[in-house]
Every structure is written in C-alpha cells, then in structure tokens.
Amino acid sequence: MIPAAARGTTTVSARAVARIAQQAATETPNAVGTVRGTATVRGQRAEVSVRLGLPWPTDLGRRAGEVQRHVASRTGELTGLSVRVARLRVIRLQRPTGGTVVFGTTAPAAEGRVPRRWWSARPTPVVVAALLAASAAGLLTADMGSVRLFGNAPAAWRTGLVDRLADTSPAAGSVTVAAAALAVAGLWLLLLACTPGLRKRYVVAGFGAGRSIALDRAAVASVVRDRVLDTDGVDSVRVRVGRRRVRVRADLAFGDRTAAREQAGAAAREALADCRLNRPLRVGLRLRTTSTWEPTPPAPEPAPAAGTAGEAAGEAQREESP
C-alpha cells in the first residue's frame, strides 16, 4: 500500500478560490449586483477579499458580517482550505424593488483593534520604479560583462554618457533639470509610501483587524441622498462625500425652509449614523428654493360631490326638454 505522503497533493489555485468565493457570496440574500473576489493561497490557508453591493436600508454591519461568515465557511467546505475573509468592500447600496427590508439596530461586536482605513499596496508605482531600475541595472551589467568577459568594446551609449557627464558643468541647466526631476520622483515615492492610498473607502466600525468592511464614497453618498430625498418638499439632492465632510445641496419645491433645513440635516446625520463609519463625518447642508417654490404645499383641488353633479345634469335635461 502506498503511504499517504507519497500519493501526491492537491493544490487549489488562487483563481479557483476566488471564483468559489464569488459564487458563495451570490448564494446569500444580502448580495446585490455583480460580485467580484480575489484570493491569496499560502499552503492550506487562503485569504479572500470580496467586493459586492448590499440592500438598503439595512444594518450594514450585520449584513456584511453574515456575508463574510457564509463565504468563509462555504469556500472552506468546497476547497478544504482554512479560509478567512479579510476584506469585504461594499461598492453600492440598492433599495429593494418589492417588499420591506427590516432595519436592525444591533451593532456588530468588536474584535480587537479596528483599522482606521484600508492601506494600499501601491502596486503600480512599485512596479514602474522596479522595472525602470532593473532595466538600467541590467543594461549596465550586460555591457560591463561583455567588456570584462569577452573583451568587447564598451557600448557607445555608455561611453557617450560618461564623456557628456565629464564635460558638463554641475551648474548646467540639463543637470539641474535632471536632478530636480529625480528629487520630485523621490518625494512622490516617499509620499506614496507614507500615506494611505485607499482614501475613497470608509471602514465600518465594530470589526477587528482580522475582518474589516469598507463602504465606498459612492455608496455613502447614495445613502445620504435617498434619506434626504424623503424630506417633505425636497425636489432634488446632490451629495459630495469628502475625507471628513459630507456636502449636501438640496432644492426645495415647497414648504417652510427652516423646517425643511432641520429635517434634511437630521436625515443626513441619521444616514451617516446608520452606516456606522469608523470615522464620523460632518454634514454641510445647503438648501435653496426652486423658481416654483411655494411657502406652503399646494392644496389639492376638491373633487365635485356626486349629488351636486347629479343635480346639475338633471337641471340641464329639464332646460332642454320642451
């Protein structure tokens, strides 16, 4: 009998794990729209990140936690790996077309230190800088190896560059421009390395560092917009979400401006509170009236009574009869 160690191993690729995690997320009633996922496999452990939409209004923390738990358990069951859903990104919120979604007020339990925001690995700047440095080093190494090992003449580009640098004064304009360009590039790389990159995503409070949920700015803006639109008399709303402040511009078609301002501001603050963001955002509201604004809502036209209409019709018939 062949021992277990000699029978071989089964390896599940990261792409397959990501596809299974996407399918597991679509199995939950909480997922809305297209689901995207990424995965990293290290031995018998996998780390999954999922991007999806959620229904609104609802308890975002509870709904997202349910999705995370289902994706982790279902993916682990199908792959045989120990799966952890490290990140769940909510890209949009959608109102249900039918039925009613019950909004819960139970906050998710805290699990250790909550990250203030998601950090970016900065793959594009790192890859570009690495490719440029590797290309320059590779060309120089190849030319020097050709000269040392095979006795070939140095490349024309290297000798020309050395002669040009030897003949150029340090105060020349070309040297100054090149040094300034290198300094700007270095400062840019340092800035990217020292600052968080994912500023358009807000972390939902109540989850630890091992499991984090984030809302896109567009999702937060849609929540605030829908809630402010429910204010009496408000015709249209425009929302702009910044790093620390949400700017709301609303147009009032009818009603009292003072009361509408208070209601719209309270609605925007309640919407942000429902999002349970780790970093609270301030609300800036600008309310203006439309060209057809009326201080009071237009009164509905009274419908003619049935008796009055019947009497008018009878009177008309008597007048027509001889």
Tab-separated table of all heavy atoms in Angstrom, residues 10 12-14 16-25 27 39-41 43-50 67-86:
chain	number	residue	atom	x	y	z
A	10	THR	N	-3.017	17.794	-3.561
A	10	THR	CA	-3.973	18.544	-4.381
A	10	THR	C	-3.808	20.028	-4.078
A	10	THR	O	-3.921	20.439	-2.920
A	10	THR	CB	-5.412	18.104	-4.090
A	10	THR	OG1	-5.536	16.711	-4.350
A	10	THR	CG2	-6.395	18.879	-4.961
A	12	VAL	N	-5.099	23.893	-4.842
A	12	VAL	CA	-6.186	24.728	-5.347
A	12	VAL	C	-5.614	26.111	-5.640
A	12	VAL	O	-5.023	26.750	-4.766
A	12	VAL	CB	-7.342	24.827	-4.323
A	12	VAL	CG1	-8.496	25.632	-4.900
A	12	VAL	CG2	-7.817	23.441	-3.914
A	13	SER	N	-5.759	26.550	-6.882
A	13	SER	CA	-5.193	27.835	-7.272
A	13	SER	C	-5.970	28.984	-6.645
A	13	SER	O	-7.130	28.850	-6.259
A	13	SER	CB	-5.208	27.967	-8.799
A	13	SER	OG	-6.540	28.003	-9.277
A	14	ALA	N	-5.299	30.119	-6.569
A	14	ALA	CA	-5.948	31.307	-6.014
A	14	ALA	C	-7.119	31.752	-6.880
A	14	ALA	O	-8.125	32.247	-6.366
A	14	ALA	CB	-4.920	32.435	-5.879
A	16	ALA	N	-9.140	29.801	-8.596
A	16	ALA	CA	-10.279	28.924	-8.304
A	16	ALA	C	-10.920	29.292	-6.967
A	16	ALA	O	-12.154	29.290	-6.838
A	16	ALA	CB	-9.830	27.466	-8.305
A	17	VAL	N	-10.105	29.623	-5.973
A	17	VAL	CA	-10.652	30.016	-4.672
A	17	VAL	C	-11.458	31.303	-4.803
A	17	VAL	O	-12.525	31.452	-4.196
A	17	VAL	CB	-9.511	30.179	-3.642
A	17	VAL	CG1	-10.036	30.721	-2.322
A	17	VAL	CG2	-8.815	28.844	-3.412
A	18	ALA	N	-10.968	32.234	-5.610
A	18	ALA	CA	-11.698	33.491	-5.809
A	18	ALA	C	-13.040	33.242	-6.489
A	18	ALA	O	-14.062	33.840	-6.117
A	18	ALA	CB	-10.853	34.457	-6.631
A	19	ARG	N	-13.076	32.349	-7.493
A	19	ARG	CA	-14.340	32.041	-8.161
A	19	ARG	C	-15.331	31.386	-7.193
A	19	ARG	O	-16.536	31.691	-7.204
A	19	ARG	CB	-14.069	31.107	-9.342
A	19	ARG	CG	-13.319	31.753	-10.482
A	19	ARG	CD	-14.187	32.749	-11.218
A	19	ARG	NE	-13.531	33.327	-12.372
A	19	ARG	CZ	-13.520	32.785	-13.585
A	19	ARG	NH1	-14.151	31.623	-13.794
A	19	ARG	NH2	-12.904	33.368	-14.582
A	20	ILE	N	-14.848	30.492	-6.367
A	20	ILE	CA	-15.726	29.821	-5.400
A	20	ILE	C	-16.245	30.828	-4.378
A	20	ILE	O	-17.418	30.792	-3.983
A	20	ILE	CB	-14.964	28.671	-4.712
A	20	ILE	CG1	-14.634	27.574	-5.743
A	20	ILE	CG2	-15.775	28.084	-3.577
A	20	ILE	CD1	-13.754	26.478	-5.199
A	21	ALA	N	-15.393	31.750	-3.948
A	21	ALA	CA	-15.836	32.775	-3.001
A	21	ALA	C	-16.896	33.682	-3.619
A	21	ALA	O	-17.868	34.065	-2.960
A	21	ALA	CB	-14.632	33.600	-2.533
A	22	GLN	N	-16.737	34.029	-4.895
A	22	GLN	CA	-17.757	34.825	-5.574
A	22	GLN	C	-19.095	34.101	-5.613
A	22	GLN	O	-20.149	34.685	-5.349
A	22	GLN	CB	-17.298	35.148	-7.002
A	22	GLN	CG	-16.120	36.090	-7.072
A	22	GLN	CD	-15.637	36.306	-8.493
A	22	GLN	OE1	-14.556	36.833	-8.724
A	22	GLN	NE2	-16.439	35.895	-9.457
A	23	GLN	N	-19.053	32.818	-5.948
A	23	GLN	CA	-20.292	32.047	-6.004
A	23	GLN	C	-20.918	31.919	-4.628
A	23	GLN	O	-22.152	31.988	-4.484
A	23	GLN	CB	-20.000	30.660	-6.586
A	23	GLN	CG	-21.222	29.777	-6.751
A	23	GLN	CD	-22.230	30.357	-7.717
A	23	GLN	OE1	-21.859	31.052	-8.659
A	23	GLN	NE2	-23.510	30.088	-7.476
A	24	ALA	N	-20.097	31.757	-3.605
A	24	ALA	CA	-20.629	31.665	-2.248
A	24	ALA	C	-21.291	32.971	-1.828
A	24	ALA	O	-22.311	32.975	-1.133
A	24	ALA	CB	-19.509	31.289	-1.273
A	25	ALA	N	-20.731	34.102	-2.237
A	25	ALA	CA	-21.329	35.390	-1.890
A	25	ALA	C	-22.676	35.582	-2.574
A	25	ALA	O	-23.601	36.153	-1.993
A	25	ALA	CB	-20.380	36.532	-2.261
A	27	GLU	N	-24.791	33.344	-3.150
A	27	GLU	CA	-25.788	32.469	-2.527
A	27	GLU	C	-26.524	33.152	-1.379
A	27	GLU	O	-27.594	32.696	-0.996
A	27	GLU	CB	-25.109	31.196	-2.016
A	27	GLU	CG	-24.534	30.313	-3.118
A	27	GLU	CD	-23.767	29.134	-2.562
A	27	GLU	OE1	-23.644	29.046	-1.314
A	27	GLU	OE2	-23.301	28.299	-3.346
A	39	ALA	N	-8.245	36.279	-4.143
A	39	ALA	CA	-7.805	35.327	-3.117
A	39	ALA	C	-6.296	35.168	-3.167
A	39	ALA	O	-5.670	35.314	-4.225
A	39	ALA	CB	-8.483	33.975	-3.305
A	40	THR	N	-5.727	34.858	-2.012
A	40	THR	CA	-4.316	34.540	-1.876
A	40	THR	C	-4.196	33.228	-1.110
A	40	THR	O	-4.758	33.103	-0.016
A	40	THR	CB	-3.557	35.653	-1.128
A	40	THR	OG1	-3.748	36.892	-1.826
A	40	THR	CG2	-2.079	35.343	-1.053
A	41	VAL	N	-3.501	32.257	-1.688
A	41	VAL	CA	-3.378	30.922	-1.093
A	41	VAL	C	-1.946	30.722	-0.628
A	41	VAL	O	-0.995	30.907	-1.403
A	41	VAL	CB	-3.780	29.822	-2.095
A	41	VAL	CG1	-3.634	28.444	-1.462
A	41	VAL	CG2	-5.207	30.038	-2.577
A	43	GLY	N	-0.185	27.647	1.245
A	43	GLY	CA	-0.295	26.318	1.819
A	43	GLY	C	-1.746	25.884	1.935
A	43	GLY	O	-2.476	25.808	0.947
A	44	GLN	N	-2.175	25.594	3.162
A	44	GLN	CA	-3.549	25.190	3.417
A	44	GLN	C	-4.410	26.343	3.921
A	44	GLN	O	-5.493	26.114	4.441
A	44	GLN	CB	-3.570	24.042	4.454
A	44	GLN	CG	-2.918	22.771	3.957
A	44	GLN	CD	-3.631	22.216	2.735
A	44	GLN	OE1	-4.860	22.150	2.686
A	44	GLN	NE2	-2.842	21.789	1.739
A	45	ARG	N	-3.946	27.553	3.772
A	45	ARG	CA	-4.695	28.723	4.206
A	45	ARG	C	-4.947	29.640	3.020
A	45	ARG	O	-4.101	29.769	2.129
A	45	ARG	CB	-3.947	29.488	5.304
A	45	ARG	CG	-3.756	28.690	6.594
A	45	ARG	CD	-3.058	29.517	7.639
A	45	ARG	NE	-2.898	28.788	8.892
A	45	ARG	CZ	-2.335	29.286	9.984
A	45	ARG	NH1	-1.868	30.540	9.962
A	45	ARG	NH2	-2.237	28.557	11.076
A	46	ALA	N	-6.090	30.256	3.037
A	46	ALA	CA	-6.476	31.181	1.966
A	46	ALA	C	-7.063	32.442	2.580
A	46	ALA	O	-7.790	32.378	3.573
A	46	ALA	CB	-7.484	30.532	1.023
A	47	GLU	N	-6.742	33.559	1.973
A	47	GLU	CA	-7.288	34.850	2.395
A	47	GLU	C	-8.069	35.438	1.233
A	47	GLU	O	-7.540	35.579	0.134
A	47	GLU	CB	-6.163	35.795	2.820
A	47	GLU	CG	-6.648	37.097	3.414
A	47	GLU	CD	-5.513	37.931	3.975
A	47	GLU	OE1	-4.951	37.546	5.019
A	47	GLU	OE2	-5.189	38.957	3.350
A	48	VAL	N	-9.322	35.750	1.477
A	48	VAL	CA	-10.243	36.149	0.417
A	48	VAL	C	-10.705	37.584	0.656
A	48	VAL	O	-10.947	37.984	1.805
A	48	VAL	CB	-11.460	35.199	0.366
A	48	VAL	CG1	-12.437	35.635	-0.724
A	48	VAL	CG2	-11.003	33.771	0.115
A	49	SER	N	-10.834	38.340	-0.424
A	49	SER	CA	-11.430	39.671	-0.404
A	49	SER	C	-12.588	39.690	-1.389
A	49	SER	O	-12.448	39.185	-2.507
A	49	SER	CB	-10.405	40.749	-0.773
A	49	SER	OG	-9.330	40.753	0.148
A	50	VAL	N	-13.714	40.249	-0.968
A	50	VAL	CA	-14.929	40.228	-1.776
A	50	VAL	C	-15.413	41.663	-1.963
A	50	VAL	O	-15.353	42.476	-1.033
A	50	VAL	CB	-16.028	39.369	-1.116
A	50	VAL	CG1	-17.275	39.329	-1.989
A	50	VAL	CG2	-15.517	37.961	-0.870
A	67	VAL	N	-22.425	37.885	5.315
A	67	VAL	CA	-21.787	37.521	4.049
A	67	VAL	C	-20.383	36.982	4.296
A	67	VAL	O	-19.974	35.966	3.716
A	67	VAL	CB	-21.738	38.734	3.107
A	67	VAL	CG1	-20.938	38.406	1.848
A	67	VAL	CG2	-23.143	39.168	2.725
A	68	GLN	N	-19.645	37.624	5.162
A	68	GLN	CA	-18.290	37.166	5.450
A	68	GLN	C	-18.279	35.758	6.026
A	68	GLN	O	-17.491	34.903	5.615
A	68	GLN	CB	-17.612	38.124	6.420
A	68	GLN	CG	-17.110	39.408	5.781
A	68	GLN	CD	-16.294	40.227	6.752
A	68	GLN	OE1	-16.634	40.342	7.924
A	68	GLN	NE2	-15.219	40.822	6.281
A	69	ARG	N	-19.150	35.520	6.985
A	69	ARG	CA	-19.181	34.184	7.604
A	69	ARG	C	-19.588	33.106	6.598
A	69	ARG	O	-19.013	32.008	6.573
A	69	ARG	CB	-20.132	34.197	8.799
A	69	ARG	CG	-19.590	34.959	10.004
A	69	ARG	CD	-20.473	34.760	11.220
A	69	ARG	NE	-21.788	35.366	11.037
A	69	ARG	CZ	-22.081	36.619	11.363
A	69	ARG	NH1	-21.132	37.404	11.857
A	69	ARG	NH2	-23.297	37.101	11.203
A	70	HIS	N	-20.581	33.407	5.754
A	70	HIS	CA	-21.023	32.401	4.779
A	70	HIS	C	-19.944	32.134	3.735
A	70	HIS	O	-19.702	30.973	3.369
A	70	HIS	CB	-22.304	32.871	4.095
A	70	HIS	CG	-22.811	31.907	3.065
A	70	HIS	ND1	-23.495	30.750	3.398
A	70	HIS	CD2	-22.719	31.919	1.702
A	70	HIS	CE1	-23.807	30.092	2.291
A	70	HIS	NE2	-23.345	30.778	1.251
A	71	VAL	N	-19.294	33.189	3.256
A	71	VAL	CA	-18.250	32.998	2.252
A	71	VAL	C	-17.094	32.188	2.823
A	71	VAL	O	-16.560	31.283	2.171
A	71	VAL	CB	-17.762	34.358	1.735
A	71	VAL	CG1	-16.513	34.201	0.872
A	71	VAL	CG2	-18.854	35.036	0.921
A	72	ALA	N	-16.694	32.490	4.056
A	72	ALA	CA	-15.576	31.753	4.662
A	72	ALA	C	-15.922	30.282	4.856
A	72	ALA	O	-15.132	29.396	4.511
A	72	ALA	CB	-15.202	32.402	5.991
A	73	SER	N	-17.112	29.987	5.409
A	73	SER	CA	-17.477	28.595	5.670
A	73	SER	C	-17.714	27.815	4.379
A	73	SER	O	-17.264	26.684	4.236
A	73	SER	CB	-18.733	28.546	6.547
A	73	SER	OG	-19.831	29.167	5.881
A	74	ARG	N	-18.415	28.433	3.420
A	74	ARG	CA	-18.728	27.733	2.175
A	74	ARG	C	-17.485	27.499	1.330
A	74	ARG	O	-17.297	26.403	0.778
A	74	ARG	CB	-19.750	28.554	1.385
A	74	ARG	CG	-20.248	27.890	0.115
A	74	ARG	CD	-20.975	26.611	0.413
A	74	ARG	NE	-21.607	26.069	-0.791
A	74	ARG	CZ	-22.062	24.827	-0.897
A	74	ARG	NH1	-21.946	23.984	0.127
A	74	ARG	NH2	-22.632	24.420	-2.009
A	75	THR	N	-16.610	28.498	1.242
A	75	THR	CA	-15.381	28.331	0.479
A	75	THR	C	-14.473	27.301	1.126
A	75	THR	O	-13.844	26.489	0.445
A	75	THR	CB	-14.655	29.679	0.341
A	75	THR	OG1	-15.555	30.651	-0.195
A	75	THR	CG2	-13.458	29.566	-0.575
A	76	GLY	N	-14.365	27.329	2.455
A	76	GLY	CA	-13.569	26.317	3.130
A	76	GLY	C	-14.127	24.917	2.958
A	76	GLY	O	-13.378	23.935	2.825
A	77	GLU	N	-15.458	24.786	2.937
A	77	GLU	CA	-16.081	23.476	2.741
A	77	GLU	C	-15.806	22.915	1.354
A	77	GLU	O	-15.570	21.716	1.189
A	77	GLU	CB	-17.587	23.606	2.965
A	77	GLU	CG	-18.373	22.325	2.706
A	77	GLU	CD	-19.867	22.537	2.833
A	77	GLU	OE1	-20.287	23.640	3.240
A	77	GLU	OE2	-20.620	21.607	2.496
A	78	LEU	N	-15.808	23.767	0.334
A	78	LEU	CA	-15.631	23.297	-1.040
A	78	LEU	C	-14.168	23.116	-1.427
A	78	LEU	O	-13.863	22.318	-2.329
A	78	LEU	CB	-16.296	24.275	-2.015
A	78	LEU	CG	-17.816	24.403	-1.901
A	78	LEU	CD1	-18.338	25.446	-2.871
A	78	LEU	CD2	-18.493	23.056	-2.173
A	79	THR	N	-13.255	23.842	-0.789
A	79	THR	CA	-11.842	23.747	-1.158
A	79	THR	C	-11.011	22.927	-0.177
A	79	THR	O	-9.909	22.502	-0.528
A	79	THR	CB	-11.233	25.155	-1.266
A	79	THR	OG1	-11.349	25.828	0.007
A	79	THR	CG2	-11.954	25.970	-2.328
A	80	GLY	N	-11.509	22.738	1.033
A	80	GLY	CA	-10.716	22.053	2.038
A	80	GLY	C	-9.646	22.914	2.665
A	80	GLY	O	-8.784	22.399	3.396
A	81	LEU	N	-9.674	24.217	2.428
A	81	LEU	CA	-8.685	25.131	2.983
A	81	LEU	C	-9.253	25.864	4.190
A	81	LEU	O	-10.468	25.917	4.384
A	81	LEU	CB	-8.245	26.157	1.929
A	81	LEU	CG	-7.657	25.598	0.627
A	81	LEU	CD1	-7.381	26.739	-0.348
A	81	LEU	CD2	-6.385	24.807	0.891
A	82	SER	N	-8.375	26.422	4.967
A	82	SER	CA	-8.780	27.297	6.064
A	82	SER	C	-8.909	28.710	5.500
A	82	SER	O	-7.911	29.365	5.192
A	82	SER	CB	-7.744	27.261	7.193
A	82	SER	OG	-8.080	28.162	8.219
A	83	VAL	N	-10.145	29.174	5.337
A	83	VAL	CA	-10.420	30.417	4.615
A	83	VAL	C	-10.756	31.515	5.607
A	83	VAL	O	-11.507	31.314	6.560
A	83	VAL	CB	-11.581	30.231	3.615
A	83	VAL	CG1	-11.860	31.527	2.866
A	83	VAL	CG2	-11.240	29.115	2.629
A	84	ARG	N	-10.207	32.682	5.353
A	84	ARG	CA	-10.508	33.879	6.140
A	84	ARG	C	-10.847	35.007	5.184
A	84	ARG	O	-10.067	35.325	4.276
A	84	ARG	CB	-9.319	34.283	7.007
A	84	ARG	CG	-9.571	35.503	7.884
A	84	ARG	CD	-8.401	35.705	8.831
A	84	ARG	NE	-7.216	36.147	8.132
A	84	ARG	CZ	-6.837	37.418	8.021
A	84	ARG	NH1	-7.562	38.371	8.570
A	84	ARG	NH2	-5.736	37.740	7.389
A	85	VAL	N	-12.033	35.597	5.351
A	85	VAL	CA	-12.440	36.738	4.543
A	85	VAL	C	-11.896	37.990	5.223
A	85	VAL	O	-12.472	38.486	6.200
A	85	VAL	CB	-13.964	36.805	4.380
A	85	VAL	CG1	-14.362	37.993	3.514
A	85	VAL	CG2	-14.482	35.513	3.764
A	86	ALA	N	-10.774	38.476	4.728
A	86	ALA	CA	-10.109	39.595	5.386
A	86	ALA	C	-10.793	40.917	5.089
A	86	ALA	O	-10.898	41.782	5.954
A	86	ALA	CB	-8.646	39.665	4.945
